Amino acid sequence: MSEQTSDRQGHSGAHSGGRSGWLERVQGVLPARFRPGMAVVPVVRLSGVIGAVTPLRPGMTLSGVAKMLERAFGTRNAKAVALVINSPGGSPVQSRQIYLRIRQLAAEKKLPVLVFVEDVAASGGYMIACAGDEIYCDPSSILGSIGVVGGSFGLEGLIKKIGVERRLYTAGAHKAMLDPFLPENPDDVARLKSIQREIHAIFIALVKQSRGSRLKGPDDELFTGEYWAGETAIGLGLADGIGDLRATLRARYGEKVLTPVIAPASGMLSGLLGRRAPGAGSMAALDGLASLPDDLISAVETRAIWARFGL
């Protein structure tokens, strides 16, 4: 080999080594989740009562979680998306809309969805959990409650006792249906139950479509509104296994898997829209006092929904 050829090869090798070293240095300063070959599984937490607890205190809704879901599924190098669910249910509409958005994004990005249940995924919470390709839970987690519930109070006796006269004016024969200050009308109850059966059928179809042949129990056991602890839920096919997020993802994607938590949007605009500035003066204080009844009702409603599952 001539000296000239040897020099050219040596120069080429040095150039290649230099380029490789430069790439390694650049990759070294990049955030870990942007490095080639790094396994990333973004995590989205979906917690709380679903829908409006009171008109001024919304719970989990599609509009509230949509941006988090989009950011999670758009994460660079993502191998899957993990959802951590802790919800006793709520609005069937919001539950199904969140479910649909998750499945749409999963199909668009071609990413599997792994669900991890904390304390409870019941009713609408379980509907959202069904958006997962796999569902994992703790042995003490509560899953199920595949049914529809509605309730009210009968206060006509109370207003008579305290001397209050009820005056109600409507256009439409059923506009005051199930008014708590009027005697219960059997026809109104029958109409309500018909609507509940329709919504229940939609819920059942969603679970069957999502879980498919993994469901092991008969319909008259699975879809009565009953709920179960983790091991029994797995035996019925409502979940796939016992497992926590960290251990499950490390076993599947390696010890160095990254699990960035996708938090709700924050910043100046969200602060202006969603929170009052501290020290805003006496008007803000008065506004806070005015909201106390609504806060109390919201707390009682939320507590009652969680309490159905002993939580």
Side-chain angles (χ1 to χ4, degrees):
M1 183 184 294
S2 68
E3 291 185 6
Q4 186 177 4
T5 302
S6 177
D7 288 345
R8 281 201 303 268
Q9 290 178 343
H11 177 73
S12 175
H15 179 71
S16 176
R19 182 172 57 189
S20 175
W22 177 80
L23 287 173
E24 289 177 1
R25 288 194 297 273
V26 170
Q27 292 173 8
V29 300
L30 287 174
R33 60 180 172 175
F34 294 119
R35 297 172 193 169
M38 183 65 70
V40 180
V41 181
V43 179
V44 178
R45 299 186 63 86
L46 300 175
S47 301
V49 176
I50 303 165
V53 180
T54 67
L56 298 179
R57 294 291 183 271
M60 191 198 317
T61 62
L62 175 60
S63 63
V65 304
K67 290 296 183 184
M68 287 194 298
L69 293 172
E70 289 166 8
R71 286 167 55 205
F73 281 94
T75 299
R76 185 182 178 89
N77 294 332
K79 301 296 184 184
V81 170
L83 305 178
V84 178
I85 294 179
N86 193 16
S87 173
S91 163
V93 173
Q94 291 299 322
S95 302
R96 186 171 179 274
Q97 287 185 348
I98 294 170
Y99 165 92
L100 289 174
R101 179 61 61 87
I102 294 167
R103 292 316 310 164
Q104 289 162 0
L105 289 168
E108 289 171 11
K109 302 298 183 179
K110 296 180 173 57
L111 289 175
V113 178
L114 305 177
V115 166
F116 297 88
V117 178
E118 292 190 323
D119 297 287
V120 59
S123 194
Y126 184 71
M127 183 183 288
I128 294 174
C130 284
D133 296 290
E134 299 172 37
I135 301 175
Y136 294 93
C137 60
D138 186 87
S140 298
S141 297
I142 292 173
L143 296 89
S145 191
I146 303 168
V148 182
V149 64
S152 183
F153 296 93
L155 302 175
E156 71 277 6
L158 175 63
I159 63 172
K160 288 179 182 178
K161 184 175 182 179
I162 63 177
V164 175
E165 181 182 352
R166 173 69 162 154
R167 296 175 180 175
L168 185 65
Y169 312 100
T170 67
H174 303 292
K175 189 62 179 177
M177 187 176 80
L178 301 174
D179 186 293
F181 297 100
L182 296 176
E184 186 176 69
N185 183 330
D187 290 340
D188 292 345
V189 175
R191 290 187 187 91
L192 174 63
K193 287 186 173 293
S194 176
I195 293 170
Q196 289 180 324
R197 284 192 295 270
E198 188 173 348
I199 297 171
H200 192 198
I202 294 169
F203 194 173
I204 292 171
L206 183 149
V207 174
K208 286 186 173 182
Q209 178 184 347
S210 301
R211 300 299 297 168
S213 60
R214 288 175 288 184
L215 293 174
K216 302 302 180 186
D219 286 8
D220 58 4
E221 180 180 8
L222 290 173
F223 305 129
T224 63
E226 189 177 355
Y227 49 88
W228 302 271
E231 293 283 6
T232 304
I234 292 168
L236 293 169
L238 298 177
D240 297 291
I242 298 296
D244 65 277
L245 183 142
R246 186 172 184 270
T248 302
L249 295 184
R250 285 190 167 199
R252 183 167 302 193
Y253 299 106
E255 291 293 318
K256 294 184 178 181
V257 62
L258 297 175
T259 55
V261 176
I262 308 300
S266 60
M268 182 182 297
L269 184 59
S270 64
L272 290 173
L273 294 176
R275 299 187 297 272
R276 300 184 188 92
S282 58
M283 291 302 294
L286 290 173
D287 190 34
L289 289 173
S291 71
L292 283 176
D294 187 70
D295 289 336
L296 179 60
I297 293 171
S298 176
V300 171
E301 291 266 2
T302 301
R303 182 67 259 160
I305 293 172
W306 284 100
R308 289 209 304 267
F309 304 99
L311 299 170

